[in-house]
Amino acid sequence: MQGWENLRAELEDALEGEVRFDPYSRALYSTDASMYQIDPIGVVIPRSAEDVQKTVRIAAGHEAAVLPRGGGTSLAGQTVGRAVVMDFSKYLNQVLELNAEGSWARIQPGLVQDHLNVYLRPHGFVLGPNTSTSSRATLGGMMGNNSSGSRSIVYGKTVDHVIAASGFLAGGDPFSIGPLEGAVLQAKLAEKSREGEIHRALHRIAAENREEIEERYPKIMRRVSGYNLDELIKPQPFNLAKILVGAEGTLAAVTEIKVRVCPLPKAVGVLVVHFDSIEKAIAASGPILKREGVAAVEIVDKVILAQAAQNLEAQRWMKSFMRGEPAAFLLIEFYGETQDEAEEKVVRLSADLEREGVGYARVLMHDPATRSDPGKVREAGLGYILGRRGDAKPLAFVEDCAVPPERLLQYYQRFDAIMRKHNTSTSYYGHTSVGLLHLRPVINLKDAGEIQKMAAIQEEVAGLVLEYGGAMSGEHGDGLARSRWIPRFFGPRLYEAFREVKRAFDPSSQMNPGKIVDAPGFTENLRYGPASKTPEIKTIMDFSKDHGFVRAIELCNGVGECRKRDGTMCPSFQATREEEHSTRGRANVLRRVIAEGLPGEELTSRRVYDALDLCLSCKGCKAECPSSVDMAKIKAEVLQAYWDRHGVPLRVR
């Protein structure tokens, strides 16, 4: 931490919130749910918008970058960087106002999606976009990523629901932006202020590049790459809040969001159709989408089902709908004015599919107690495949490319050929309704040749997606994984326009640099590499099933399910809201202490002991973590080593 002591001291003096620059805290925030790892300069947990402003302003005085962060569930490395990380999830997580008549709410960015929906439900509303990580993804993260979800054919993306935003620009100047038109817009464009300057710059950039925007932006619903300049040329009020959506924290720090909320669906009908091949499942999606009232069509393949079968919680869910051993199943949802109407749509579709010989089994989810079971398996699919044991892991670098839905079958077939060519494999699941499959080739980052293979696969897949008029990211954003492809997909003129957008908001590049524009190479800053150590540690218990004690810890992939508030996992995090008391936090620190070392820390140090001490050994993670990380077993092994070194106190005896 040499060189940042003055920054830390100044922040500590100025903020009400928490300031943490110690190696342990920095390790906790060095990763997210991606394959990347970068130690931050330090961590700030602000208690108020004023704390955020002071952090940005003080950091600017020290020429330090800042990085807003929510639940840390980013899959492309958006929330890791050499910056002062601001964790909004602990304190800035409130609903500030609900206007039922206007169908909007004002919220803070650290609010978790499910928590907002719990608040909205008694009022008859729901947030439209529904991510699979809704139990821990924050609204600020959803805004930064332009998240969507399985029902995007009904609700669209986050950009369709953000009305206005306020917060702080690089350097700490406040802003408040929203929809403008007519005389009000002209007044803003003439305003001699920083907000006026930014509005003038973006108004000009959009106008000068209108034809290029219309020509180069993919003609598909699912496109979250680049900046949303297309929103500024639509026949709607000029609204720079739309530019902040999908900007990945690279333009400003948002402390308040005004979002549109939607009426709760009155009734939902669910049908699960089993297939003996993925091709048949994808081919069936198109005709199903044309049915009236379809809200979602999702696909899950046998790879995920095989992994799910090893998870205790998933085993219970699968009993209600699994029939035989499908190569894939389609999960189809209908909305209706009444439950009878929704069920009737399901029954009618099931009968038609049976008559046409589509699928070998069709399961109607009539029971309200189990109706959500297939969706739970689908939502947890990512975690299941990431629970693969050993050094080779399914990695996110081409996992959310989107193509026109009518080209999806061809895309699958050619992607599968690329997998065979490179002697690897992937799972296939995602949103067939919008032409987006989540594909994670299995790669061993501890092998230099495998990293080269990963780069070659991304190169070939990018060419394939470009040929089909698709987007390299339809859902999870650019981050460190895909920003390198923006010049190729949007062209040099629009890429320069994106850089102008960045300069207009953030001329000093203080806000989360290295994402979207001017990004490092995508194989830099990997969590694992050829030099990664996997030491063999002698243990008392048997970890051979996990390929050893260290790899049992490495089962944690950062997906963050342990940060949810419902269920059993993780009681200590639910009580403290501290990252270090989540299963992910404990695994992260143990991995770093063992494999890389942390200054002043080791496996039997007091700091590691304190982190594990609040673990109740309830086995909630073993059952509910999609990767089945068994922190109770890991804790027992670490504490045994601790007592062996320090002696067993009377209380423990």
Side-chain angles (χ1 to χ4, degrees), residues 395-628:
L395 298 183
F397 60 98
V398 289
E399 95 288 355
D400 75 325
C401 302
V403 299
E406 63 272 15
R407 308 296 297 274
L408 188 59
L409 181 56
Q410 296 167 280
Y411 174 70
Y412 157 75
Q413 291 168 335
R414 291 180 62 182
F415 191 102
D416 197 53
I418 293 172
M419 293 297 95
R420 294 194 302 272
K421 172 185 173 182
H422 290 282
N423 193 31
T424 187
S425 62
T426 186
S427 61
Y428 295 91
Y429 77 104
H431 320 294
T432 56
S433 55
V434 288
L436 194 158
L437 294 176
H438 294 307
L439 311 171
R440 286 176 164 250
V442 176
I443 300 289
N444 179 7
L445 290 179
K446 297 177 182 179
D447 183 313
E450 289 277 294
I451 294 175
Q452 292 175 359
K453 178 194 290 187
M454 180 172 68
I457 290 172
Q458 193 184 61
E459 184 82 33
E460 292 183 43
V461 171
L464 179 59
V465 173
L466 195 59
E467 177 186 337
Y468 285 156
M472 276 302 279
S473 178
E475 189 166 44
H476 298 150
D478 297 314
L480 296 169
R482 285 179 289 270
S483 291
R484 68 183 288 239
W485 292 107
I486 291 177
R488 182 168 169 186
F489 272 73
F490 290 92
R493 180 171 171 179
L494 281 182
Y495 184 64
E496 185 52 39
F498 292 162
R499 297 180 78 182
E500 283 190 74
V501 170
K502 171 72 169 172
R503 288 195 294 269
F505 275 92
D506 180 20
S508 61
S509 196
Q510 184 190 17
M511 305 303 302
N512 197 12
K515 320 301 191 310
I516 300 182
V517 297
D518 302 321
F522 100 105
T523 59
E524 297 179 32
N525 304 304
L526 295 172
R527 187 186 304 194
Y528 302 108
S532 296
K533 302 172 186 175
T534 311
E536 295 296 329
I537 294 179
K538 186 178 180 181
T539 59
I540 293 173
M541 288 181 282
D542 182 10
F543 286 88
S544 60
K545 181 182 177 183
D546 300 316
H547 299 241
F549 179 67
V550 174
R551 290 183 178 89
I553 296 168
E554 291 177 353
L555 277 175
C556 175
N557 49 71
V559 77
E561 181 86 9
C562 45
R563 290 175 59 94
K564 64 183 181 179
R565 191 162 65 183
D566 61 323
T568 301
M569 179 181 68
C570 176
S572 52
F573 176 79
Q574 292 181 39
T576 68
R577 313 304 296 168
E578 288 282 352
E579 176 71 16
E580 76 168 87
H581 295 139
S582 67
T583 304
R584 178 176 75 176
R586 293 180 174 117
N588 231 346
V589 167
L590 285 172
R591 178 180 60 82
R592 291 290 300 275
V593 167
I594 294 171
E596 301 173 36
L598 286 174
E601 304 295 345
E602 55 186 342
L603 193 60
T604 56
S605 70
R606 183 70 196 189
R607 190 71 176 83
V608 172
Y609 171 85
D610 287 341
L612 289 168
D613 189 44
L614 286 186
C615 168
L616 302 184
S617 298
C618 67
K619 292 281 188 176
C621 49
K622 174 71 172 177
E624 296 177 15
C625 170
S627 300
S628 298

Side-chain angles (χ1 to χ4, degrees), residues 3-8 10-11 56-65:
W4 298 113
E5 292 85 354
N6 292 339
L7 170 60
R8 176 190 56 76
E10 195 171 342
L11 288 170
V56 176
R57 184 168 287 162
I58 291 169
H62 291 264
E63 298 184 347

Side-chain angles (χ1 to χ4, degrees), residues 188-204:
K188 178 61 73 174
L189 292 174
E191 192 175 280
K192 295 185 184 302
S193 66
R194 190 164 174 199
E195 266 189 36
E197 291 175 6
I198 294 172
H199 276 79
R200 285 192 294 277
L202 271 291
H203 196 268
R204 174 188 58 79

Side-chain angles (χ1 to χ4, degrees), residues 274-292:
H274 297 62
F275 295 86
D276 55 21
S277 77
I278 298 175
E279 288 92 339
K280 290 179 181 178
I282 296 174
S285 298
I288 291 171
L289 271 171
K290 298 175 182 177
R291 309 287 293 219
E292 181 186 354

